[in-house]
Every structure is written in C-alpha cells, then in structure tokens.
Amino acid sequence: MEEANQSAMSEFTFQGLCDSRELQTLLFLPFSVLYLMTVIGNLSVVLLIITDLRLHSPMYFLLANLSFVDCCLSSVTTPKLTTDFLRENKTISFAGCMSQILCVHFFGGGEMVLLVTMAYDRYVAICKPLHYSSIMDRKKCFWLVLTSWIIGFVHAMSQLAMILDLPFCGPRVVDSFFCDIPLVIKLACMDTRTLGTAINANSGTLATSCFILLLISYTYILLSLRLHSKDGVSKALSTCTSHITVVLLFFGPCIFIYLWPLSITWVDKFLAVFYTVITPLLNPAIYTLRNKEIKNAIKRLLNQHFHLRDNF
C-alpha cells in the first residue's frame, strides 16, 4: 500500500483541453497534422538556409536558429498533448513534469532574447547599412545566439530551482495539457503566494525587458525609414512587418498567461495552445511568404530537383 501511494505521489495528472472523450478523439488528427507541419516547416527553413549559400548572412542565420527553437518548443508539449487525446489517464511523472517546465522556459526564454537579437540585426542593417558587415560579422552573430541560449538556460534553471523542492501532498491534477508553473505551484500544500510573486517577477523581468528593447529597436527603425528611398522603405517594411508579427504572436499570449492578474481557465488553455502549437507553425509561414529571398531559394531548390530528375 505504501509503495502504491508513493507511486501515485510521484506523478501528475493532466486535466487536458476538454472533458469530452469524443471531442478529444476528434482533436487527435488535426493536432497531429499541426505538429507534423510545424516540424517539417521549421526544419525545412533550417535546411534551406544551411544549403543555400545565398542565404548565408546574419539575418538568415538568426532566422534558422529561431526556426530550430520553435521546433524544439513545440516538441516539448505537442507530442504529449496529442497522445493524451487517446488516453483516459493523462499522467506524467514528477521528473517529466519538471523537465517540461525546464524546457518550456529554456526555449521560451531563449526565443525572447533571440527575437531581440533579430531586431538588433535589422536595426543595424537599416540604420547603419555602411557598417553592417563590420558590426554583424560571423563571430558576433555566434556570440549573440549563444547569449540567447545562455540567458534562456539561466532563466529556466532559476524557475525550476524555486519549485523543485515544493511539497505536493494532495491531488496532483494540473488543469492544462502540460506542466506550467502557475498551475503546478497551486498544487503545493503550502502558501505559495510569495513564491508565485517571485516566479512572476522573474518571468516578467525577462519578458518586459525583451519587449521594451524590441519596442526601442523597431521605433528607431521606423523613424529612420523616412530617410530612405521608396524601394528601400518597401523592402525594410516588409522585413520588419514579419518580425513585428512574430513578436506579437509570441509575446501576446505570454504576457496574458504570466503577467495578467485574472485567471480564466479556457482562456489560459487557448493561449497556451496558441504559443506552444500555433505560433511555432506560423513563424516559418510568415517569414517564407513575406521574404523574396527565401521564396527565390525555394524556387532554385525546386528547379534543381526537377533538373536532376529530368537528367535521370
């Protein structure tokens, strides 16, 4: 009996997206397709940028990293969500739950900093075009990306350290489809209001700092565009619009979930689905549909493929 109780206490149970078994079964296929499209879309962008020499520039190096992070972020939660649609008992081990929290904040925090780096790259390209190659050289790009990974890791570890030793002595039912800190700390058998404030302050500081830096970067960019020619303005605006769209799609749900004082379950679930499932899928589509160089690279790749096939 003691071993059974210990086993039960070492895992969490997910409430899932909804209570209807029939609806969950119906959701299995569309979510499986969405995840498959996310992986194929993001990895295709990464491979295209690696293989096409014309895309070996700082902007596309950063874009390849963003696509890789999006693929990883979606893979933390979506496969588990999809398989749970077919299960009656949606359980996850304590170690698995902590791993989800670590990875979501690692990739999420890293993506925030990476988006700031991409905004800085566009700022240099548009506001200081004559010095772009010297400022954004290969070594600096590498260190900027490495910095985003380091900040994401430090953020994730600090979040995990605050909840790892919490006592969970009651029902461990997480009212979501993955382990998210605001929901997990509610299950602790102690007063977690102070801890919750500290956790929100940690996430809020990173998110707010990144968002302010993004606002500053794009404000400078938009102000400087007035001095450019119409063709230059059109190209710059097209690139910046893609970046700003991705920023809003990513930061919007995060701000509501982690910084908004109200907690409405169905809204939180919708936003969680949006930034873990939908946003990683939309990012490659946004960049490929609005970027002429990537569309041209896809055409070159297809032409090369058909040319080789015709030769055989």
Side-chain angles (χ1 to χ4, degrees):
M1 179 64 72
E2 289 184 1
E3 290 182 1
N5 287 338
Q6 184 64 31
S7 175
M9 293 302 292
S10 65
E11 62 184 22
F12 292 90
T13 301
F14 293 137
Q15 193 73 33
L17 287 181
C18 59
D19 296 326
S20 171
R21 289 284 300 159
E22 292 78 11
L23 181 57
Q24 290 185 60
T25 304
L26 290 174
L27 289 174
F28 172 78
L29 182 59
F31 272 83
S32 298
V33 173
L34 286 174
Y35 177 65
L36 186 63
M37 291 171 62
T38 299
V39 173
I40 293 174
N42 282 290
L43 292 184
S44 296
V45 171
V46 174
L47 292 175
L48 182 67
I49 292 171
I50 290 173
T51 56
D52 196 310
L53 295 178
R54 299 185 190 184
L55 299 180
H56 287 190
S57 66
M59 174 181 171
Y60 295 106
F61 174 70
L62 297 174
L63 176 57
N65 277 274
L66 178 66
S67 292
F68 178 73
V69 172
D70 276 331
C71 187
C72 293
L73 180 60
S74 181
S75 298
V76 174
T77 59
T78 312
K80 173 65 175 169
L81 166 65
T82 304
T83 55
D84 278 347
F85 282 136
L86 303 180
R87 295 175 180 169
E88 186 172 349
N89 295 319
K90 304 172 180 60
T91 59
I92 186 172
S93 66
F94 178 82
C97 183
M98 295 300 108
S99 297
Q100 274 196 337
I101 290 172
L102 177 68
C103 290
V104 166
H105 284 268
F106 174 43
F107 294 121
E111 180 159 342
M112 287 182 186
V113 182
L114 188 58
L115 288 171
V116 174
T117 301
M118 295 176 74
Y120 173 72
D121 171 71
R122 290 302 84 203
Y123 162 75
V124 176
I126 295 170
C127 300
K128 299 182 180 181
L130 298 178
H131 304 285
Y132 179 74
S133 58
S134 60
I135 296 175
M136 292 298 294
D137 57 19
R138 182 174 298 181
K139 185 177 180 180
K140 187 167 187 178
C141 284
F142 171 79
W143 281 108
L144 286 171
V145 170
L146 182 61
T147 299
S148 71
W149 286 98
I150 292 173
I151 291 176
F153 180 74
V154 171
H155 165 68
M157 290 301 294
S158 64
Q159 294 278 289
L160 185 66
M162 286 190 277
I163 67 165
L164 196 58
D165 293 326
L166 284 178
F168 297 99
C169 51
R172 295 187 175 188
V173 180
V174 180
D175 194 7
S176 185
F177 60 91
F178 73 102
C179 285
D180 204 3
I181 288 184
L183 298 175
V184 171
I185 63 173
K186 289 181 180 179
L187 306 179
C189 49
M190 61 175 284
D191 186 357
T192 58
R193 285 175 294 183
T194 303
L195 178 63
T197 302
I199 288 172
N200 287 337
N202 184 307
S203 295
T205 300
L206 177 62
T208 304
S209 301
C210 290
F211 196 66
I212 290 173
L213 289 172
L214 286 165
L215 287 177
I216 293 172
S217 297
Y218 287 117
T219 299
Y220 270 105
I221 290 172
L222 294 174
L223 289 175
S224 68
L225 286 177
R226 296 179 303 175
L227 305 176
H228 289 66
S229 64
K230 288 186 178 180
D231 291 339
V233 169
S234 177
K235 184 177 180 181
L237 277 177
S238 177
T239 303
C240 288
T241 301
S242 299
H243 283 235
I244 293 171
T245 302
V246 169
V247 167
L248 293 176
L249 287 174
F250 184 78
F251 276 88
C254 291
I255 289 172
F256 272 94
I257 290 174
Y258 293 103
L259 302 179
W260 202 252
L262 299 177
S263 180
I264 304 173
T265 302
W266 72 269
V267 174
D268 288 344
K269 287 183 180 181
F270 170 78
L271 293 175
V273 169
F274 197 85
Y275 86 83
T276 59
V277 180
I278 306 300
T279 300
L281 172 64
L282 291 178
N283 283 355
I286 290 169
Y287 281 111
T288 54
L289 292 176
R290 296 188 62 88
N291 190 294
K292 288 183 180 180
E293 291 186 32
I294 286 194
K295 287 191 285 187
N296 290 334
I298 294 173
K299 290 178 183 178
R300 288 194 296 269
L301 185 64
L302 292 175
N303 290 335
Q304 184 180 8
H305 170 74
F306 288 123
H307 179 70
L308 290 173
R309 193 184 68 176
D310 291 340
N311 288 338
F312 283 102

